[in-house]
Amino acid sequence: MFASVSFPLQQFRSFDYKIPDHLIQMVKPGVCVNVNLGNSHRIGFVTAIRESSVFKGEFKELTSIRDDKLSIPEELWQTFLWMSQYYLTPIGKVMKSAIPLSFSNEYKPKIEYYVQLTPNWKTMVDDIGIRALAQKKVLNQLVDGDEPVRTSNLSEFASNPLNVCRAMEKKGLVHLIKRPKVYDPFDLMAPGKKLEIKLSDEQQNVYEELIVAQSAGRFSPFLLHGVTGSGKTEVYLKLAQKVIADGKSVLVLVPEISLTPQVAKKFRNTFGDKVALWHSAMTRAEKGWTWQQLKEGKYTIIVGARSAVLTPLANLGLIIVDEEQESSYKQENSHPFYHARDVALIRAKQAQAMVLMASATPSLDSYYNGINGKYSVVNLTKRYGNATYPRVVLVDMKNVAFNDDAESKILSPELLNEIRLKIDRDEQIIILQNRRGYSHVHQCIDCGEIASCERCSVSLTYHKISNNMICHYCQNSYNLKDTCKLCNSENLKLTGTGTQKVEEELRKFFPDVNLIRMDQDTVRKRGAHHLILEKFGNGEAQILLGTQMIAKGLDFENVTLVGIINADSGLFLPDFRAGERIFQLIYQVSGRAGRHKKPGIAIVQTFNPNDSNILCASKMDIKKFYNQCLSDRQELMYPPFSRLSRILFSGLNKQHVNETAYIYQQKLESLPDLTILGPAPAPIERIKHYWRYHILIKQPLDNPMILQKYLHQQLHTNELKLNTKGVKIKFIPDPVTVL
Ligand code: ADP
Ligand code: ZN
Ligand code: ZN
């Protein structure tokens, strides 16, 4: 018997090893083994067991099983295999993206001290003594909760809280507990506030429907369609409590932890240190350590972004996918090009678990799966409490931008009035402008030439603070030129509005109002997202201005006005999902207003007030939007009526790129049932000097793997090659963008 072993750490090839007789019973796919590779000792994972091997040389034997703790559980292993086939990625590469590089290292996190009252502390209270003021203060902090408190959180009450606690420990009042410190973006290791969750009637109905399915202990996909502010998080928490009470664990996926801190925070508050976080700011070692802890069953909940779906949480009972429509769930910059929501469904099937996908604006794909019965649908139709839906006002900016008497060309009179009103009332305001920088067009008035990046076919954005032009695709920067490079005219102008320009305009009108801007340029530092949101949350700023970063998941009580400066940005992108994205963005950001007692209003500025996506969003008419969008997609046979795949070719030599794309197209034409579009230059034809061509392939719904199987076979027999003549080829099933 032979075992194929892959080494996710160095490379992704597999090698065959002979299994010694005494290990035959124990070696199976997913098991972590010790082997010799070349002259060195390596750790690898078994990817397959075979009766024979095609390898002609001399076989080495597996040395031993490394450590059962490091092996991959069966359901996760099956998920990896599916990813490998569906995303056409070698299994080793799938593992490499799932398993932290330092998974097998001993990681010694820094230790922190926690303190907890002893069971019979009351009998010892008199020992504190009159002069030990700090001890009394600390004691007062501890009597309220029953979970350990981190000593460093007590620094308000004692200059050296650890020493004070040590003194109290000697008197038998408290225990000190050592715990590992893992970097935590919210510094939430403090104990949960054990809130009692009381659901509203509507929430309770949804919850009851969910637990019927959950109790059956089978794979069950659910779509929770709940309007903004309906309290989806509350339902997650209650459901998670039930799943944990049943002895199972819960995986919570969020688009990006720093942007949706509130969900992670509520889980931490409710479940305390049962919750692990998994996010991009963790170091390798921290990820490796968390991975091991998960394997050992130390956590029953993990909250994290995309790759958290690949963590080895044991005994999975429920996967929650918050904001399931978010495109950040799709990995498109490195193999495997997976979609975490789709992987969640596969994994839940393997684990016989429930999946709860939730959104106020479900993706068209999930909505359709709800209609055709693939997912069960539960609805939350009302905001929690007495909160009402915001009133939405659509403003035609043609009347503003071309009116020479207008106070401002960027802020409509309607928006200005509302801002003034809210400022007078000490309420808060969110302003969305979905483009960063100052202005994104630098154009010659005489010949029309627009300044664009020399390496990419995209226009440059002017950044006023650094006074240069930056390419948002390759980050290259250029000096602001004062003559046109085509006709030498000096008649140049900057147009198009970015967040920096909106900031300037708002400061001009409201010089005394505190404003914070949140876009990629202001959140580069670790923890910056969190600081900005915290400042806004505690009222240090009255206006929060930002890009789509601020559109979702935020829940601030005092926000009563949302302004969208330009609802049209992205509307004309040559991407079949452009309309869907605009709709979701407008609908979601409007949903930030008036979520609690005070009523809210959203002002949507547009140059295209008759665009159906914008109209539907501003009327909050979600049914109409879905129906329209579905019928458009059906007519063109785009998803969800077909499966779409994209093959992207890129390289420095345009002709080679083009030729390779044609070879693929001709091969694919021979397959039945596929519709092939292209090859054509990608809408962004060049990035970082690389020319880009693509082919789009529509596959019938009932045969999902047809293309993968064909390509796999062609690549195997070398009929088609990846990486020929310096042309890179990416096969992307279900792309979220086709730019
Ligand atoms: P969604 O995610 O659906 O937009 P949230 O979960 O953020 O909505 O809930 C909106 C607000 O209503 C939050 O401040 C939340 O704490 C509050 N809320 C919702 N349901 C409840 C409940 N059952 N008990 C207490 N507060 C609730
Ligand atoms: Zn010119
Ligand atoms: Zn560029």
Side-chain angles (χ1 to χ4, degrees):
M1 292 289 261
F2 299 91
S4 295
V5 177
S6 178
F7 308 91
L9 310 188
Q10 285 78 22
Q11 48 194 315
F12 50 89
R13 279 182 56 200
S14 297
F15 295 89
D16 287 354
Y17 287 84
K18 228 173 143 213
I19 310 176
D21 287 345
H22 69 282
L23 290 180
I24 282 189
Q25 295 299 320
M26 281 156 308
V27 174
K28 49 184 199 300
V31 166
C32 187
V33 290
N34 293 313
V35 292
N36 286 316
L37 183 69
N39 291 327
S40 63
H41 168 81
R42 289 284 158 82
I43 302 170
F45 288 89
V46 175
T47 58
I49 307 287
R50 305 177 203 283
E51 297 272 342
S52 60
S53 168
V54 289
F55 178 61
K56 293 278 176 287
E58 201 178 314
F59 287 99
K60 289 184 178 158
E61 279 202 341
L62 281 184
T63 316
S64 58
I65 290 183
R66 159 77 183 195
D67 186 345
D68 210 32
K69 268 191 339 212
L70 299 175
S71 299
I72 296 164
E74 174 68 15
E75 47 91 16
L76 187 54
W77 180 253
Q78 293 301 329
T79 307
F80 289 174
L81 286 182
W82 178 86
M83 289 172 73
S84 167
Q85 286 161 13
Y86 189 78
Y87 297 109
L88 214 68
T89 305
I91 185 75
K93 257 194 178 178
V94 173
M95 286 155 68
K96 189 170 175 170
S97 71
I99 302 171
L101 287 168
S102 56
F103 77 102
S104 66
N105 296 351
E106 275 286 337
Y107 167 62
K108 289 224 174 63
K110 280 196 193 123
I111 293 297
E112 294 184 299
Y113 284 93
Y114 282 69
V115 56
Q116 187 174 32
L117 293 173
T118 55
N120 41 2
W121 63 273
K122 279 194 181 131
T123 57
M124 257 87 68
V125 166
D126 294 339
D127 295 350
I128 286 188
I130 1 169
R131 286 194 301 134
L133 201 59
Q135 295 189 23
K136 275 192 187 147
K137 283 187 185 164
V138 166
L139 188 75
N140 279 337
Q141 292 309 306
L142 297 179
V143 291
D144 281 342
D146 50 4
E147 279 199 45
V149 172
R150 188 166 56 181
T151 54
S152 58
N153 280 6
L154 298 167
S155 54
E156 252 179 81
F157 314 104
S159 56
N160 186 339
L162 183 58
N163 277 352
V164 173
C165 292
R166 284 209 167 105
M168 292 167 78
E169 190 176 33
K170 282 202 190 111
K171 294 175 186 162
L173 284 158
V174 299
H175 296 300
L176 277 169
I177 304 163
K178 279 189 208 171
R179 279 190 188 163
K181 179 182 164 105
V182 173
Y183 172 73
D184 186 328
F186 317 114
D187 213 25
L188 290 175
M189 279 305 230
K193 269 189 240 115
K194 275 286 161 63
L195 295 175
E196 177 81 36
I197 304 163
K198 268 221 185 93
L199 298 181
S200 69
D201 290 347
E202 198 187 32
Q203 291 168 347
Q204 182 70 22
N205 289 341
V206 164
Y207 168 71
E208 278 168 17
E209 200 175 331
L210 291 172
I211 57 168
V212 171
Q214 179 267 333
S215 311
R218 279 199 297 273
F219 170 59
S220 46
F222 269 82
L223 176 63
L224 167 57
H225 186 178
V227 300
T228 56
S230 57
K232 293 185 281 296
T233 326
E234 249 46 48
V235 175
Y236 304 162
L237 293 170
K238 191 85 180 188
L239 186 63
Q241 278 183 340
K242 166 74 168 59
V243 173
I244 285 165
D246 288 352
K248 300 217 169 153
S249 58
V250 181
L251 199 158
V252 186
L253 294 176
V254 292
E256 197 186 320
I257 258 200
S258 51
L259 296 183
T260 41
Q262 278 155 338
V263 173
K265 200 165 179 168
K266 278 188 181 165
F267 270 90
R268 265 292 173 75
N269 281 344
T270 312
F271 298 99
D273 56 15
K274 287 196 189 80
V275 181
L277 293 181
W278 188 266
H279 53 86
S280 54
M282 285 163 81
T283 63
R284 267 187 195 181
E286 284 165 345
K287 279 196 167 164
W289 182 79
T290 306
W291 200 86
Q292 287 179 19
Q293 299 295 106
L294 287 166
K295 283 284 313 170
E296 288 177 24
K298 295 272 171 66
Y299 294 115
T300 43
I301 301 180
I302 185 161
V303 183
R306 188 168 63 214
S307 62
V309 74
L310 305 177
T311 53
L313 189 66
N315 214 1
L316 198 57
L318 169 67
I319 306 181
I320 293 169
V321 188
D322 187 38
E323 305 285 3
E324 65 84 32
Q325 82 287 357
E326 268 292 299
S327 55
S328 63
Y329 283 128
K330 176 82 174 173
Q331 172 158 300
E332 284 204 342
N333 52 6
S334 62
H335 280 98
F337 302 123
Y338 69 98
H339 197 300
R341 178 199 57 215
D342 300 345
V343 173
L345 286 159
I346 297 295
R347 187 167 177 193
K349 206 180 258 173
Q350 295 299 336
Q352 292 293 306
M354 169 180 256
V355 185
L356 183 63
M357 293 159 276
S359 178
T361 52
S363 63
L364 209 62
D365 308 82
S366 297
Y367 183 82
Y368 185 65
N369 282 333
I371 295 179
N372 67 22
K374 266 188 155 173
Y375 304 161
S376 311
V377 182
V378 281
N379 293 292
L380 289 172
T381 57
K382 291 193 285 271
R383 284 194 153 181
Y384 176 73
N386 292 323
T388 51
Y389 235 72
R391 187 161 64 86
V392 184
V393 179
L394 204 59
V395 179
D396 186 347
M397 285 303 279
K398 290 195 287 287
N399 302 334
V400 181
F402 307 123
N403 174 0
D404 288 337
D405 298 331
E407 251 187 297
S408 159
K409 303 254 175 193
I410 297 175
L411 309 169
S412 61
E414 289 87 342
L415 183 55
L416 277 171
N417 284 345
E418 285 297 330
I419 297 178
R420 290 186 179 119
L421 210 72
K422 303 306 177 203
I423 285 174
D424 285 347
R425 290 197 207 144
D426 275 336
E427 294 171 358
Q428 284 177 299
I429 299 156
I430 289 182
I431 303 278
L432 175 86
Q433 171 56 14
N434 202 11
R435 266 180 185 272
R436 65 192 170 98
Y438 188 83
S439 55
H440 52 87
V441 183
H442 189 214
Q443 191 170 26
C444 168
I445 292 176
D446 292 327
C447 77
E449 170 72 7
I450 291 174
S452 60
C453 179
E454 285 163 15
R455 313 199 277 178
C456 315
S457 46
V458 293
S459 62
L460 297 171
T461 299
Y462 176 62
H463 284 244
K464 193 165 188 176
I465 298 160
S466 47
N467 190 30
N468 59 1
M469 306 288 293
I470 297 177
C471 169
H472 285 179
Y473 277 82
C474 71
Q475 312 308 330
N476 219 21
S477 72
Y478 301 81
N479 293 331
L480 186 65
K481 302 229 164 58
D482 33 49
T483 54
C484 170
K485 78 169 190 230
L486 275 193
C487 73
N488 275 328
S489 157
E490 288 177 9
N491 213 355
L492 303 179
K493 79 170 179 192
L494 279 167
T495 56
T497 305
T499 45
Q500 293 176 7
K501 194 163 171 182
V502 178
E503 176 177 359
E504 190 178 270
E505 191 81 348
L506 283 164
R507 290 197 193 280
K508 193 170 95 194
F509 281 90
F510 307 101
D512 303 326
V513 173
N514 283 330
L515 172 153
I516 344 182
R517 175 164 62 89
M518 181 159 168
D519 55 29
Q520 261 187 61
D521 299 313
T522 63
V523 297
R524 294 200 200 280
K525 271 200 217 118
R526 180 153 142 161
H529 296 90
H530 180 55
L531 279 179
I532 292 181
L533 294 177
E534 201 171 76
K535 263 191 176 169
F536 188 62
N538 66 26
E540 277 174 63
Q542 202 167 359
I543 301 180
L544 174 64
L545 160 69
T547 52
Q548 98 288 347
M549 273 182 193
I550 59 168
K552 267 153 289 179
L554 301 181
D555 180 41
F556 294 112
E557 194 162 347
N558 200 26
V559 172
T560 53
L561 170 63
V562 165
I564 302 179
I565 299 297
N566 180 7
D568 312 330
S569 73
L571 190 60
F572 300 109
L573 285 179
D575 188 324
F576 71 97
R577 287 205 173 87
E580 184 181 357
R581 292 232 177 83
I582 297 261
F583 173 85
Q584 287 165 345
L585 186 62
I586 299 176
Y587 189 101
Q588 288 275 1
V589 73
S590 306
R592 302 308 110 205
R595 294 165 67 88
H596 295 260
K597 294 195 185 78
K598 301 173 192 161
I601 178 167
I603 305 233
V604 180
Q605 304 188 153
T606 172
F607 285 91
N608 299 280
N610 296 320
D611 176 86
S612 64
N613 301 299
I614 294 176
L615 267 179
C616 285
S618 66
K619 294 199 176 113
M620 304 262 138
D621 195 344
I622 201 155
K623 272 249 158 64
K624 187 167 172 198
F625 163 75
Y626 282 119
N627 288 337
Q628 252 174 25
C629 212
L630 281 174
S631 83
D632 290 351
R633 298 269 181 96
Q634 186 162 31
E635 202 175 326
L636 298 169
M637 282 311 276
Y638 268 113
F641 297 95
S642 67
R643 282 172 184 275
L644 189 74
S645 294
R646 180 189 201 202
I647 308 183
L648 183 67
F649 305 84
S650 64
L652 295 170
N653 181 318
K654 190 175 178 181
Q655 201 189 335
H656 287 170
V657 176
N658 193 349
E659 281 167 9
T660 312
Y662 268 103
I663 294 174
Y664 266 71
Q665 180 238 353
Q666 305 228 299
K667 281 271 178 199
L668 293 172
E669 289 285 359
S670 67
L671 276 177
D673 295 340
L674 302 183
T675 311
I676 299 177
L677 309 175
I684 300 174
E685 201 180 347
R686 208 168 167 224
I687 294 181
K688 292 188 195 167
H689 292 306
Y690 278 75
W691 294 97
R692 305 164 81 240
Y693 272 72
H694 67 178
I695 299 177
L696 296 177
I697 303 142
K698 294 179 196 164
Q699 298 168 246
L701 291 174
D702 51 6
N703 196 350
M705 290 280 194
I706 169 176
L707 187 58
Q708 282 85 339
K709 281 185 194 143
Y710 176 76
L711 286 172
H712 182 78
Q713 178 223 332
Q714 294 284 310
L715 292 168
H716 212 70
T717 54
N718 280 331
E719 292 284 317
L720 289 176
K721 284 193 195 112
L722 296 177
N723 280 322
T724 45
K725 287 186 180 170
V727 179
K728 283 195 210 156
I729 301 165
K730 281 182 172 180
F731 171 68
I732 310 172
D734 316 311
V736 293
T737 141
V738 292
L739 292 180

